[in-house]
Amino acid sequence: MSSEQIIQQAAQWLTRLHDEDVTDADRQAFNAWCQADPRHAVAIERMGALWGSLDTLPAKPARVALNHAFAPQRPRGAQVVGLLGVVLCGWLGLQHLPVWMADQRTGVGERRHIALADGSQLQLNSNSAVDVKFDGHQRVIELLQGELWVDVAKDAQRPFVVRTDQGTATALGTRYLVKRAADGTTVVTVIESSVAVKGDASDGVRVSAGQRSVLDHGRAQPPQTLADTDPDAWTRGLLKVNDQPLSDVLQTLAGYRQGMLRFDPEALQDLRVSGVFKLDDTAAALSSLADNLPIQVEYFTDLLVVVKPR
């Protein structure tokens, strides 16, 4: 069953359970539905949180409509479920439903360490999501969004594979990074040993420690040697850069902030940065940049920051 179908069923159950004439039989059937598939309980938990959050929406036309729909005289059945579906689709987007239902995910600015059942260690970067699919034949991590770091436990009988919509990265050793970049490519960076990187539309390449390969349009590009960087510094809460364009640094910091960090790359194109910044304190990082570069950082609200040349 697809994520969309599960969410539709969860919306129907949540609507039914909020009806005044809900019966014990309804509750028993709901419990059976939750127990039939672990994803059912996850969908109900997350949709229940969204249902509760509707009370915090601003008083705009959409909010008025929601108030009317969920008032005591509200219409029941398909109309209410449909409205909740519209809210979900508008708020999340259909393409984000798999992320919403992911086995593991992080919010903006959050990083998480996960011990996998096989002894492998996984870390998720900010705003990332994965599905974990282990069985007796293989170990697969579906990277749905963001970036992960993995330290693979040896198991000769079960390959360890990280998969995205561009292709796969199969461990031939231990530690590596996989990132779904904003431009749609997948970036595989090897920290230790080597990884077989294969696009869905081409033969694979072998990427060794200190190298990186990009999967683009289903094709694995030849490995490139990394410059003087520390690509997994984020797992320690750090951003290390050496003579990097300021706009690239700001784009990275934006990925750890709630709200918007706005800047004009062309206006900042001549400015480059070297240094170490704490990802858990992006305000301090922006302040340090302003102290050392001819830029100014303007806070219009906590959720809107603008960086521009002085």
Side-chain angles (χ1 to χ4, degrees):
M1 182 179 295
S2 69
S3 296
E4 290 86 348
Q5 290 172 317
I6 291 174
I7 287 174
Q8 183 180 20
Q9 290 182 5
Q12 291 170 342
W13 276 117
L14 199 58
T15 302
R16 180 59 182 155
L17 293 173
H18 280 75
D19 272 342
E20 294 179 358
D21 59 350
V22 62
T23 65
D24 289 340
D26 290 330
R27 296 188 181 94
Q28 291 174 3
F30 167 71
N31 290 333
W33 180 81
C34 287
Q35 294 171 10
D37 188 323
R39 295 176 299 169
H40 294 176
V42 171
I44 282 292
E45 178 184 358
R46 294 177 182 170
M47 188 171 291
L50 175 60
W51 187 291
S53 71
L54 294 177
D55 290 335
T56 66
L57 291 176
K60 293 182 178 180
R63 174 59 177 160
V64 173
L66 288 171
N67 279 335
H68 178 72
F70 292 102
Q73 69 274 18
R74 67 186 184 279
R76 293 173 49 192
Q79 188 172 351
V80 175
V81 172
L83 179 58
L84 184 57
V86 169
V87 173
L88 278 172
C89 294
W91 185 57
L92 297 170
L94 283 176
Q95 70 274 22
H96 293 144
L97 289 179
V99 172
W100 192 66
M101 291 287 293
D103 293 337
Q104 298 284 347
R105 60 178 182 159
T106 54
V108 175
E110 178 188 6
R111 300 184 309 279
R112 181 180 303 164
H113 178 271
I114 302 162
L116 299 175
D118 67 331
S120 298
Q121 303 297 312
L122 182 70
Q123 289 196 52
L124 295 184
N125 206 345
S126 170
N127 199 26
S128 299
V130 297
D131 279 339
V132 180
K133 301 178 180 179
F134 284 13
D135 58 29
H137 303 287
Q138 63 179 354
R139 299 170 290 170
V140 177
I141 303 293
E142 294 274 2
L143 180 59
L144 305 173
Q145 178 174 284
E147 182 176 17
L148 63 78
W149 170 100
V150 65
D151 189 346
V152 180
K154 293 182 179 180
D155 185 340
Q157 304 304 315
R158 295 189 300 166
F160 191 102
V161 180
V162 178
R163 177 182 295 148
T164 73
D165 58 349
Q166 291 282 356
T168 59
T170 303
L172 303 176
T174 51
R175 289 186 292 141
Y176 61 108
L177 304 163
V178 182
K179 178 179 182 179
R180 292 185 62 147
D183 61 4
T185 62
T186 293
V187 182
V188 181
T189 305
V190 181
I191 307 301
E192 183 178 294
S193 192
S194 59
V195 172
V197 179
K198 185 179 185 305
D200 290 335
S202 69
D203 295 333
V205 298
R206 185 183 181 117
V207 186
S208 300
Q211 294 183 327
R212 171 178 294 160
S213 177
V214 177
L215 285 162
D216 188 12
H217 292 92
R219 297 184 179 276
Q221 297 179 1
Q224 295 183 340
T225 300
L226 299 175
D228 184 17
T229 61
D230 188 356
D232 62 350
W234 63 262
T235 65
R236 305 185 298 279
L238 300 175
L239 171 62
K240 293 186 177 182
V241 294
N242 181 28
D243 193 32
Q244 295 294 308
L246 174 60
S247 57
D248 289 354
V249 175
L250 292 176
Q251 189 63 49
T252 299
L253 293 175
Y256 291 86
R257 290 185 58 85
Q258 296 286 350
M260 295 181 290
L261 175 59
R262 296 300 191 195
F263 58 92
D264 180 356
E266 291 187 3
L268 304 175
Q269 63 182 347
D270 295 330
L271 300 177
R272 303 185 73 85
V273 180
S274 297
V276 180
F277 306 95
K278 292 184 177 180
L279 294 172
D280 292 332
D281 193 349
T282 57
L286 292 172
S287 177
S288 176
L289 291 171
D291 288 342
N292 292 279
L293 294 170
I295 60 173
Q296 58 185 14
V297 179
E298 297 182 353
Y299 288 81
F300 292 90
T301 70
D302 289 341
L303 298 178
L304 176 59
V305 182
V306 176
V307 178
K308 57 186 180 182
R310 275 204 293 262

